[in-house]
Amino acid sequence: MTGMLTRWRPLAGFGLAALVLFGLAPAVLSDFRLNLLGKFLCFAIVAVGIGLAWGRGGMLTLGQGVFFGLGAYMMAMHLKIADAELKGNDVPDFMQIAGIRELPGYWTPFTSPLVTVLAILVVPALVAFVLGLGVFKRRVKGAYFAILSQALAAAFAILLVGQQSIGGSNGLNRFRTFFGFNLNDPANKRMLFFMAAGVLLLVVALTRQLMYSRYGELLVAVRDQEERVRFLGYDPANIKVVAYVVAAFFAGIAGALFVPIVGIISPADVGIVPSIAFLIGVAIGGRATLLGPVLGAIGVAWAQSTLSENFPSGWIYAQGLLFIVVVGFFPAGVAGLIELIRRRRPRADAPRDETPDALPELEVAR
């Protein structure tokens, strides 16, 4: 009976999540709040990848804004080209204002919807693969990897600011259509929310499969005892690269969904600050769990949106204080704290004459 419950519990959880996202949320939230929740779901998709790479693999990824930005900018470039074609123009509106009369060569592939989708799926993962091989094969890890990834995010944001052909510091905005659908139509906005919700569920399902597979065990082993894993004949660099690529793949998809939902992408959305914000949500939710990063990312984004409306200058301080408290006193996050309370509650009520079989578990708990 216990085995059957364990088997059906994940399916019940996914069913409940689908009911909330596809049934309850659209029924009780206004169009504005539903669109805002869609934005938060994009952040949650990024957080799932960070949870896999950091929580399970021990890689402190401070540069996920790079992969998020790659997916977002490629989608934005296609949408701007499509809008220009609808008006009969050769170049997007912001290029006309800047005096650019011909579409730059690196924009040309994004005239095709198919090429755009393939690029969103392939380019962030390919960049992460190349970077991962270069970093992990040289056994760069810990704080050095974190600093390197953060420097990469800063360099990417600075590069975008200097490129007027992709909007410069203003970024790309004012999108009117999404693959032929009018973005001003509330029904199409709901469609985008459903797309983000569906992608999030698929991402969580895929991550769960990886976590509970043979690869997931190797990833945790690399995090805890890298040299022992190497002694057993495995290459820890290859194991890390896979997690890093998967996290980048998720971030690229999230960025592509973020653009039509929010309606803008700029260097401010892909630099150091957003990358750290992704990490804070994962840390607060619980980086080593499956749902902790999702709930943490949504919770932090919701708190930022709510508190910023009332205390615009106080949110950054509150966010930093919350991160320090969680990392300093609850390193496993809220999910880890709840799990600790759940495990200790039955033992607190147990009689003092424990059976011998329970003693090893008590020793482990200590």
Side-chain angles (χ1 to χ4, degrees):
M1 185 66 179
T2 303
M4 184 177 296
L5 289 175
T6 303
R7 185 185 310 168
W8 287 101
R9 187 178 299 169
L11 293 178
F14 277 105
L16 179 61
L19 181 63
V20 170
L21 292 175
F22 292 99
L24 183 61
V28 302
L29 296 178
S30 64
D31 291 339
F32 172 75
R33 293 297 176 184
L34 192 67
N35 190 69
L36 197 61
L37 179 58
K39 172 185 174 181
F40 299 162
L41 295 184
C42 294
F43 296 157
I45 295 171
V46 181
V48 173
I50 296 176
L52 178 68
W54 182 31
R56 293 285 172 151
M59 294 169 281
L60 187 58
T61 53
L62 288 173
Q64 290 304 98
V66 174
F67 310 114
F68 182 84
L70 285 172
Y73 266 91
M74 287 187 288
M75 176 60 76
M77 291 163 70
H78 170 72
L79 297 184
K80 294 301 289 184
I81 292 174
D83 290 346
E85 290 177 349
L86 286 177
K87 291 184 176 182
N89 298 326
D90 294 331
V91 296
D93 49 7
F94 76 94
M95 288 188 183
Q96 296 178 21
I97 298 174
I100 301 174
R101 303 305 177 195
E102 185 177 352
L103 198 67
Y106 67 92
W107 276 71
T108 305
F110 301 105
T111 57
S112 169
L114 179 60
V115 172
T116 301
V117 172
L118 290 177
I120 290 169
L121 297 176
V122 172
V123 172
L126 182 61
V127 171
F129 177 75
V130 174
L131 291 173
L133 283 180
V135 170
F136 299 128
K137 287 293 185 180
R138 294 177 178 272
R139 302 188 183 183
V140 177
K141 57 184 178 179
Y144 300 102
F145 172 74
I147 294 172
L148 182 62
S149 61
Q150 190 175 56
L152 181 65
F156 183 61
I158 294 172
L159 176 65
L160 292 175
V161 170
Q163 300 296 318
Q164 294 302 318
S165 59
I166 50 177
S169 59
N170 295 324
L172 302 175
N173 52 47
R174 296 194 301 174
F175 310 109
R176 294 176 174 84
T177 60
F178 176 73
F179 294 102
F181 294 94
N182 185 5
L183 287 175
N184 292 322
D185 188 344
N188 293 334
K189 286 184 174 293
R190 289 200 166 209
M191 176 191 69
L192 289 171
F193 169 79
F194 291 139
M195 289 178 60
V199 169
L200 176 60
L201 292 179
L202 288 175
V203 163
V204 171
L206 176 60
T207 304
R208 184 183 185 279
Q209 188 65 28
L210 288 174
M211 284 183 174
Y212 291 97
S213 66
R214 176 71 173 173
Y215 169 78
E217 296 177 354
L218 285 173
L219 187 61
V220 174
V222 169
R223 179 195 66 189
D224 296 337
Q225 294 290 340
E226 182 172 334
E227 293 302 323
R228 184 173 296 181
V229 171
R230 184 177 287 108
F231 177 76
L232 292 174
Y234 297 97
D235 188 349
N238 295 336
I239 299 171
K240 289 182 177 182
V241 166
V242 172
Y244 192 51
V245 168
V246 170
F249 177 72
F250 291 167
I253 295 175
L257 290 171
F258 176 87
V259 166
I261 290 176
V262 178
I264 185 173
I265 185 68
S266 70
D269 299 315
V270 303
I272 294 178
V273 174
S275 298
I276 295 177
F278 291 145
L279 203 73
I280 289 175
V282 176
I284 292 174
R287 65 180 186 268
T289 61
L290 181 62
L291 294 181
V294 174
L295 300 178
I298 295 175
V300 169
W302 174 82
Q304 179 180 6
S305 176
T306 302
L307 295 178
S308 295
E309 295 174 359
N310 301 317
F311 309 100
S313 61
W315 164 246
I316 298 297
Y317 300 103
Q319 187 182 43
L321 178 62
L322 185 60
F323 183 65
I324 292 173
V325 170
V326 169
V327 172
F329 299 96
F330 309 106
V334 175
L337 180 62
I338 294 174
E339 182 66 17
L340 181 63
I341 295 174
R342 186 185 67 83
R343 287 182 178 181
R344 289 194 173 186
R345 184 174 298 171
R347 294 194 181 102
D349 299 334
R352 298 183 63 87
D353 52 341
E354 296 282 354
T355 59
D357 294 338
L359 292 178
E361 294 184 3
L362 291 174
E363 293 297 323
V364 172
R366 291 172 185 169

mmCIF file of all heavy atoms in Angstrom, residues 261-306:
data_model
loop_
_atom_site.group_PDB
_atom_site.id
_atom_site.type_symbol
_atom_site.label_atom_id
_atom_site.label_comp_id
_atom_site.label_asym_id
_atom_site.label_seq_id
_atom_site.Cartn_x
_atom_site.Cartn_y
_atom_site.Cartn_z
ATOM 1 N N ILE A 261 5.079 37.915 -23.138
ATOM 2 C CA ILE A 261 4.245 38.090 -21.944
ATOM 3 C C ILE A 261 4.434 39.474 -21.349
ATOM 4 O O ILE A 261 3.465 40.166 -21.019
ATOM 5 C CB ILE A 261 4.574 36.993 -20.907
ATOM 6 C CG1 ILE A 261 4.076 35.632 -21.401
ATOM 7 C CG2 ILE A 261 3.928 37.319 -19.556
ATOM 8 C CD1 ILE A 261 4.442 34.476 -20.492
ATOM 9 N N VAL A 262 5.674 39.908 -21.211
ATOM 10 C CA VAL A 262 5.974 41.189 -20.563
ATOM 11 C C VAL A 262 5.970 42.338 -21.564
ATOM 12 O O VAL A 262 5.588 43.458 -21.241
ATOM 13 C CB VAL A 262 7.324 41.109 -19.820
ATOM 14 C CG1 VAL A 262 7.680 42.436 -19.174
ATOM 15 C CG2 VAL A 262 7.262 40.010 -18.767
ATOM 16 N N GLY A 263 6.428 42.067 -22.795
ATOM 17 C CA GLY A 263 6.412 43.094 -23.820
ATOM 18 C C GLY A 263 7.673 43.903 -23.944
ATOM 19 O O GLY A 263 7.698 44.888 -24.687
ATOM 20 N N ILE A 264 8.742 43.504 -23.262
ATOM 21 C CA ILE A 264 10.006 44.237 -23.346
ATOM 22 C C ILE A 264 11.135 43.331 -22.884
ATOM 23 O O ILE A 264 10.947 42.437 -22.050
ATOM 24 C CB ILE A 264 9.960 45.520 -22.472
ATOM 25 C CG1 ILE A 264 11.231 46.338 -22.659
ATOM 26 C CG2 ILE A 264 9.740 45.179 -21.008
ATOM 27 C CD1 ILE A 264 11.203 47.691 -21.961
ATOM 28 N N ILE A 265 12.310 43.569 -23.460
ATOM 29 C CA ILE A 265 13.538 42.947 -22.974
ATOM 30 C C ILE A 265 14.649 43.971 -23.150
ATOM 31 O O ILE A 265 14.754 44.634 -24.190
ATOM 32 C CB ILE A 265 13.869 41.634 -23.738
ATOM 33 C CG1 ILE A 265 15.088 40.957 -23.108
ATOM 34 C CG2 ILE A 265 14.075 41.887 -25.219
ATOM 35 C CD1 ILE A 265 14.853 40.426 -21.729
ATOM 36 N N SER A 266 15.455 44.151 -22.124
ATOM 37 C CA SER A 266 16.527 45.137 -22.149
ATOM 38 C C SER A 266 17.732 44.588 -21.397
ATOM 39 O O SER A 266 17.624 43.563 -20.698
ATOM 40 C CB SER A 266 16.055 46.444 -21.500
ATOM 41 O OG SER A 266 15.888 46.277 -20.107
ATOM 42 N N PRO A 267 18.890 45.233 -21.506
ATOM 43 C CA PRO A 267 20.068 44.769 -20.742
ATOM 44 C C PRO A 267 19.832 44.708 -19.246
ATOM 45 O O PRO A 267 20.474 43.912 -18.544
ATOM 46 C CB PRO A 267 21.130 45.810 -21.095
ATOM 47 C CG PRO A 267 20.738 46.304 -22.444
ATOM 48 C CD PRO A 267 19.245 46.309 -22.447
ATOM 49 N N ALA A 268 18.910 45.529 -18.740
ATOM 50 C CA ALA A 268 18.616 45.502 -17.302
ATOM 51 C C ALA A 268 17.969 44.191 -16.869
ATOM 52 O O ALA A 268 17.967 43.864 -15.674
ATOM 53 C CB ALA A 268 17.705 46.670 -16.930
ATOM 54 N N ASP A 269 17.430 43.432 -17.822
ATOM 55 C CA ASP A 269 16.764 42.166 -17.500
ATOM 56 C C ASP A 269 17.682 40.962 -17.576
ATOM 57 O O ASP A 269 17.241 39.839 -17.279
ATOM 58 C CB ASP A 269 15.581 41.931 -18.459
ATOM 59 C CG ASP A 269 14.530 43.014 -18.360
ATOM 60 O OD1 ASP A 269 14.172 43.385 -17.226
ATOM 61 O OD2 ASP A 269 14.064 43.500 -19.418
ATOM 62 N N VAL A 270 18.939 41.157 -17.992
ATOM 63 C CA VAL A 270 19.809 40.005 -18.222
ATOM 64 C C VAL A 270 21.169 40.134 -17.536
ATOM 65 O O VAL A 270 22.021 39.260 -17.701
ATOM 66 C CB VAL A 270 20.033 39.797 -19.741
ATOM 67 C CG1 VAL A 270 18.703 39.613 -20.454
ATOM 68 C CG2 VAL A 270 20.793 40.966 -20.360
ATOM 69 N N GLY A 271 21.384 41.182 -16.777
ATOM 70 C CA GLY A 271 22.697 41.416 -16.178
ATOM 71 C C GLY A 271 22.893 40.719 -14.845
ATOM 72 O O GLY A 271 22.291 39.678 -14.549
ATOM 73 N N ILE A 272 23.720 41.320 -14.009
ATOM 74 C CA ILE A 272 24.083 40.721 -12.720
ATOM 75 C C ILE A 272 22.895 40.687 -11.766
ATOM 76 O O ILE A 272 22.627 39.667 -11.120
ATOM 77 C CB ILE A 272 25.254 41.495 -12.089
ATOM 78 C CG1 ILE A 272 26.517 41.323 -12.935
ATOM 79 C CG2 ILE A 272 25.515 41.017 -10.664
ATOM 80 C CD1 ILE A 272 27.704 42.100 -12.419
ATOM 81 N N VAL A 273 22.178 41.802 -11.675
ATOM 82 C CA VAL A 273 21.072 41.881 -10.710
ATOM 83 C C VAL A 273 19.990 40.832 -10.983
ATOM 84 O O VAL A 273 19.565 40.118 -10.060
ATOM 85 C CB VAL A 273 20.480 43.304 -10.690
ATOM 86 C CG1 VAL A 273 19.246 43.355 -9.796
ATOM 87 C CG2 VAL A 273 21.526 44.308 -10.205
ATOM 88 N N PRO A 274 19.509 40.678 -12.226
ATOM 89 C CA PRO A 274 18.525 39.613 -12.470
ATOM 90 C C PRO A 274 19.069 38.216 -12.194
ATOM 91 O O PRO A 274 18.349 37.350 -11.695
ATOM 92 C CB PRO A 274 18.172 39.792 -13.955
ATOM 93 C CG PRO A 274 18.523 41.192 -14.270
ATOM 94 C CD PRO A 274 19.716 41.510 -13.427
ATOM 95 N N SER A 275 20.336 37.989 -12.522
ATOM 96 C CA SER A 275 20.938 36.669 -12.281
ATOM 97 C C SER A 275 20.955 36.344 -10.793
ATOM 98 O O SER A 275 20.679 35.205 -10.387
ATOM 99 C CB SER A 275 22.356 36.629 -12.847
ATOM 100 O OG SER A 275 22.353 36.815 -14.248
ATOM 101 N N ILE A 276 21.278 37.335 -9.967
ATOM 102 C CA ILE A 276 21.276 37.128 -8.518
ATOM 103 C C ILE A 276 19.848 36.946 -8.012
ATOM 104 O O ILE A 276 19.591 36.150 -7.103
ATOM 105 C CB ILE A 276 21.980 38.295 -7.808
ATOM 106 C CG1 ILE A 276 23.460 38.315 -8.188
ATOM 107 C CG2 ILE A 276 21.824 38.190 -6.300
ATOM 108 C CD1 ILE A 276 24.232 39.470 -7.593
ATOM 109 N N ALA A 277 18.900 37.684 -8.604
ATOM 110 C CA ALA A 277 17.501 37.554 -8.201
ATOM 111 C C ALA A 277 16.991 36.142 -8.461
ATOM 112 O O ALA A 277 16.231 35.581 -7.655
ATOM 113 C CB ALA A 277 16.646 38.578 -8.939
ATOM 114 N N PHE A 278 17.382 35.547 -9.594
ATOM 115 C CA PHE A 278 17.017 34.153 -9.859
ATOM 116 C C PHE A 278 17.530 33.248 -8.734
ATOM 117 O O PHE A 278 16.819 32.356 -8.250
ATOM 118 C CB PHE A 278 17.624 33.682 -11.187
ATOM 119 C CG PHE A 278 17.033 34.331 -12.407
ATOM 120 C CD1 PHE A 278 17.830 34.602 -13.507
ATOM 121 C CD2 PHE A 278 15.692 34.670 -12.460
ATOM 122 C CE1 PHE A 278 17.296 35.199 -14.641
ATOM 123 C CE2 PHE A 278 15.148 35.270 -13.588
ATOM 124 C CZ PHE A 278 15.955 35.541 -14.680
ATOM 125 N N LEU A 279 18.767 33.496 -8.341
ATOM 126 C CA LEU A 279 19.414 32.658 -7.330
ATOM 127 C C LEU A 279 18.752 32.818 -5.964
ATOM 128 O O LEU A 279 18.611 31.843 -5.217
ATOM 129 C CB LEU A 279 20.894 33.021 -7.249
ATOM 130 C CG LEU A 279 21.832 31.953 -6.687
ATOM 131 C CD1 LEU A 279 22.009 30.855 -7.714
ATOM 132 C CD2 LEU A 279 23.184 32.567 -6.357
ATOM 133 N N ILE A 280 18.345 34.036 -5.636
ATOM 134 C CA ILE A 280 17.718 34.289 -4.337
ATOM 135 C C ILE A 280 16.428 33.495 -4.199
ATOM 136 O O ILE A 280 16.151 32.889 -3.159
ATOM 137 C CB ILE A 280 17.465 35.794 -4.155
ATOM 138 C CG1 ILE A 280 18.797 36.531 -3.956
ATOM 139 C CG2 ILE A 280 16.556 36.054 -2.957
ATOM 140 C CD1 ILE A 280 18.663 38.035 -3.891
ATOM 141 N N GLY A 281 15.609 33.476 -5.251
ATOM 142 C CA GLY A 281 14.371 32.704 -5.204
ATOM 143 C C GLY A 281 14.632 31.231 -4.972
ATOM 144 O O GLY A 281 13.920 30.565 -4.201
ATOM 145 N N VAL A 282 15.651 30.700 -5.626
ATOM 146 C CA VAL A 282 15.993 29.282 -5.459
ATOM 147 C C VAL A 282 16.478 29.008 -4.042
ATOM 148 O O VAL A 282 16.093 28.003 -3.424
ATOM 149 C CB VAL A 282 17.071 28.871 -6.487
ATOM 150 C CG1 VAL A 282 17.518 27.426 -6.256
ATOM 151 C CG2 VAL A 282 16.537 29.027 -7.906
ATOM 152 N N ALA A 283 17.316 29.884 -3.510
ATOM 153 C CA ALA A 283 17.850 29.695 -2.160
ATOM 154 C C ALA A 283 16.745 29.747 -1.119
ATOM 155 O O ALA A 283 16.726 28.944 -0.173
ATOM 156 C CB ALA A 283 18.910 30.760 -1.862
ATOM 157 N N ILE A 284 15.819 30.680 -1.262
ATOM 158 C CA ILE A 284 14.739 30.811 -0.288
ATOM 159 C C ILE A 284 13.792 29.624 -0.357
ATOM 160 O O ILE A 284 13.357 29.090 0.665
ATOM 161 C CB ILE A 284 13.987 32.135 -0.519
ATOM 162 C CG1 ILE A 284 14.899 33.313 -0.157
ATOM 163 C CG2 ILE A 284 12.695 32.189 0.293
ATOM 164 C CD1 ILE A 284 14.311 34.664 -0.488
ATOM 165 N N GLY A 285 13.467 29.185 -1.567
ATOM 166 C CA GLY A 285 12.551 28.057 -1.704
ATOM 167 C C GLY A 285 13.144 26.737 -1.265
ATOM 168 O O GLY A 285 12.443 25.879 -0.737
ATOM 169 N N GLY A 286 14.428 26.549 -1.502
ATOM 170 C CA GLY A 286 15.088 25.282 -1.168
ATOM 171 C C GLY A 286 15.724 24.698 -2.403
ATOM 172 O O GLY A 286 15.052 24.067 -3.216
ATOM 173 N N ARG A 287 17.022 24.904 -2.554
ATOM 174 C CA ARG A 287 17.686 24.574 -3.813
ATOM 175 C C ARG A 287 17.802 23.081 -4.072
ATOM 176 O O ARG A 287 17.908 22.658 -5.220
ATOM 177 C CB ARG A 287 19.081 25.204 -3.849
ATOM 178 C CG ARG A 287 20.056 24.672 -2.815
ATOM 179 C CD ARG A 287 21.395 25.366 -2.945
ATOM 180 N NE ARG A 287 22.409 24.804 -2.074
ATOM 181 C CZ ARG A 287 22.678 25.244 -0.855
ATOM 182 N NH1 ARG A 287 21.960 26.247 -0.365
ATOM 183 N NH2 ARG A 287 23.615 24.691 -0.119
ATOM 184 N N ALA A 288 17.785 22.259 -3.038
ATOM 185 C CA ALA A 288 17.995 20.826 -3.220
ATOM 186 C C ALA A 288 16.696 20.063 -3.450
ATOM 187 O O ALA A 288 16.714 18.849 -3.628
ATOM 188 C CB ALA A 288 18.723 20.235 -2.018
ATOM 189 N N THR A 289 15.556 20.757 -3.464
ATOM 190 C CA THR A 289 14.274 20.100 -3.664
ATOM 191 C C THR A 289 13.774 20.351 -5.075
ATOM 192 O O THR A 289 14.307 21.177 -5.810
ATOM 193 C CB THR A 289 13.235 20.609 -2.649
ATOM 194 O OG1 THR A 289 13.046 22.019 -2.843
ATOM 195 C CG2 THR A 289 13.713 20.362 -1.231
ATOM 196 N N LEU A 290 12.713 19.659 -5.446
ATOM 197 C CA LEU A 290 12.163 19.804 -6.793
ATOM 198 C C LEU A 290 11.260 21.024 -6.906
ATOM 199 O O LEU A 290 11.387 21.825 -7.840
ATOM 200 C CB LEU A 290 11.392 18.540 -7.174
ATOM 201 C CG LEU A 290 10.764 18.526 -8.569
ATOM 202 C CD1 LEU A 290 11.841 18.627 -9.650
ATOM 203 C CD2 LEU A 290 9.934 17.264 -8.769
ATOM 204 N N LEU A 291 10.357 21.195 -5.958
ATOM 205 C CA LEU A 291 9.390 22.281 -6.025
ATOM 206 C C LEU A 291 9.858 23.532 -5.287
ATOM 207 O O LEU A 291 9.274 24.601 -5.469
ATOM 208 C CB LEU A 291 8.047 21.822 -5.447
ATOM 209 C CG LEU A 291 7.328 20.720 -6.226
ATOM 210 C CD1 LEU A 291 6.002 20.380 -5.565
ATOM 211 C CD2 LEU A 291 7.101 21.132 -7.672
ATOM 212 N N GLY A 292 10.870 23.422 -4.438
ATOM 213 C CA GLY A 292 11.355 24.579 -3.702
ATOM 214 C C GLY A 292 11.754 25.737 -4.606
ATOM 215 O O GLY A 292 11.332 26.876 -4.387
ATOM 216 N N PRO A 293 12.569 25.505 -5.645
ATOM 217 C CA PRO A 293 12.930 26.608 -6.537
ATOM 218 C C PRO A 293 11.726 27.253 -7.220
ATOM 219 O O PRO A 293 11.696 28.468 -7.401
ATOM 220 C CB PRO A 293 13.857 25.934 -7.564
ATOM 221 C CG PRO A 293 14.448 24.780 -6.828
ATOM 222 C CD PRO A 293 13.359 24.289 -5.932
ATOM 223 N N VAL A 294 10.735 26.440 -7.599
ATOM 224 C CA VAL A 294 9.539 26.969 -8.266
ATOM 225 C C VAL A 294 8.785 27.897 -7.325
ATOM 226 O O VAL A 294 8.473 29.054 -7.669
ATOM 227 C CB VAL A 294 8.634 25.823 -8.735
ATOM 228 C CG1 VAL A 294 7.315 26.367 -9.292
ATOM 229 C CG2 VAL A 294 9.339 24.976 -9.774
ATOM 230 N N LEU A 295 8.487 27.398 -6.139
ATOM 231 C CA LEU A 295 7.722 28.197 -5.185
ATOM 232 C C LEU A 295 8.526 29.405 -4.702
ATOM 233 O O LEU A 295 7.965 30.496 -4.492
ATOM 234 C CB LEU A 295 7.309 27.329 -4.000
ATOM 235 C CG LEU A 295 6.422 26.120 -4.346
ATOM 236 C CD1 LEU A 295 6.112 25.298 -3.101
ATOM 237 C CD2 LEU A 295 5.138 26.563 -5.021
ATOM 238 N N GLY A 296 9.828 29.234 -4.530
ATOM 239 C CA GLY A 296 10.657 30.349 -4.102
ATOM 240 C C GLY A 296 10.720 31.453 -5.143
ATOM 241 O O GLY A 296 10.622 32.639 -4.816
ATOM 242 N N ALA A 297 10.887 31.075 -6.411
ATOM 243 C CA ALA A 297 10.955 32.072 -7.481
ATOM 244 C C ALA A 297 9.645 32.837 -7.609
ATOM 245 O O ALA A 297 9.638 34.067 -7.742
ATOM 246 C CB ALA A 297 11.304 31.391 -8.805
ATOM 247 N N ILE A 298 8.530 32.118 -7.567
ATOM 248 C CA ILE A 298 7.225 32.775 -7.670
ATOM 249 C C ILE A 298 6.975 33.653 -6.452
ATOM 250 O O ILE A 298 6.488 34.784 -6.570
ATOM 251 C CB ILE A 298 6.103 31.728 -7.831
ATOM 252 C CG1 ILE A 298 6.273 30.987 -9.160
ATOM 253 C CG2 ILE A 298 4.724 32.381 -7.759
ATOM 254 C CD1 ILE A 298 5.291 29.856 -9.357
ATOM 255 N N GLY A 299 7.321 33.148 -5.265
ATOM 256 C CA GLY A 299 7.099 33.910 -4.039
ATOM 257 C C GLY A 299 7.915 35.185 -3.984
ATOM 258 O O GLY A 299 7.404 36.252 -3.630
ATOM 259 N N VAL A 300 9.195 35.095 -4.350
ATOM 260 C CA VAL A 300 10.050 36.283 -4.327
ATOM 261 C C VAL A 300 9.592 37.293 -5.371
ATOM 262 O O VAL A 300 9.552 38.503 -5.112
ATOM 263 C CB VAL A 300 11.520 35.876 -4.557
ATOM 264 C CG1 VAL A 300 12.389 37.097 -4.801
ATOM 265 C CG2 VAL A 300 12.043 35.101 -3.357
ATOM 266 N N ALA A 301 9.239 36.818 -6.568
ATOM 267 C CA ALA A 301 8.762 37.733 -7.608
ATOM 268 C C ALA A 301 7.454 38.399 -7.191
ATOM 269 O O ALA A 301 7.258 39.604 -7.438
ATOM 270 C CB ALA A 301 8.575 36.975 -8.922
ATOM 271 N N TRP A 302 6.573 37.633 -6.577
ATOM 272 C CA TRP A 302 5.309 38.215 -6.106
ATOM 273 C C TRP A 302 5.568 39.249 -5.004
ATOM 274 O O TRP A 302 4.961 40.327 -5.000
ATOM 275 C CB TRP A 302 4.399 37.117 -5.572
ATOM 276 C CG TRP A 302 3.148 37.655 -4.932
ATOM 277 C CD1 TRP A 302 2.003 38.051 -5.539
ATOM 278 C CD2 TRP A 302 2.944 37.866 -3.524
ATOM 279 N NE1 TRP A 302 1.088 38.495 -4.617
ATOM 280 C CE2 TRP A 302 1.637 38.393 -3.375
ATOM 281 C CE3 TRP A 302 3.733 37.660 -2.385
ATOM 282 C CZ2 TRP A 302 1.116 38.723 -2.124
ATOM 283 C CZ3 TRP A 302 3.214 37.998 -1.153
ATOM 284 C CH2 TRP A 302 1.919 38.511 -1.023
ATOM 285 N N ALA A 303 6.469 38.940 -4.075
ATOM 286 C CA ALA A 303 6.790 39.890 -3.004
ATOM 287 C C ALA A 303 7.418 41.154 -3.570
ATOM 288 O O ALA A 303 7.107 42.267 -3.129
ATOM 289 C CB ALA A 303 7.735 39.226 -1.997
ATOM 290 N N GLN A 304 8.278 40.995 -4.565
ATOM 291 C CA GLN A 304 8.895 42.162 -5.181
ATOM 292 C C GLN A 304 7.848 43.046 -5.839
ATOM 293 O O GLN A 304 7.859 44.273 -5.698
ATOM 294 C CB GLN A 304 9.916 41.724 -6.221
ATOM 295 C CG GLN A 304 10.588 42.891 -6.929
ATOM 296 C CD GLN A 304 11.595 42.431 -7.961
ATOM 297 O OE1 GLN A 304 11.718 41.240 -8.241
ATOM 298 N NE2 GLN A 304 12.325 43.360 -8.537
ATOM 299 N N SER A 305 6.919 42.431 -6.557
ATOM 300 C CA SER A 305 5.876 43.197 -7.231
ATOM 301 C C SER A 305 4.963 43.891 -6.229
ATOM 302 O O SER A 305 4.593 45.060 -6.401
ATOM 303 C CB SER A 305 5.053 42.276 -8.140
ATOM 304 O OG SER A 305 3.990 42.967 -8.740
ATOM 305 N N THR A 306 4.627 43.192 -5.148
ATOM 306 C CA THR A 306 3.698 43.750 -4.159
ATOM 307 C C THR A 306 4.350 44.843 -3.325
ATOM 308 O O THR A 306 3.798 45.933 -3.151
ATOM 309 C CB THR A 306 3.186 42.637 -3.232
ATOM 310 O OG1 THR A 306 2.558 41.622 -4.024
ATOM 311 C CG2 THR A 306 2.173 43.187 -2.239
#
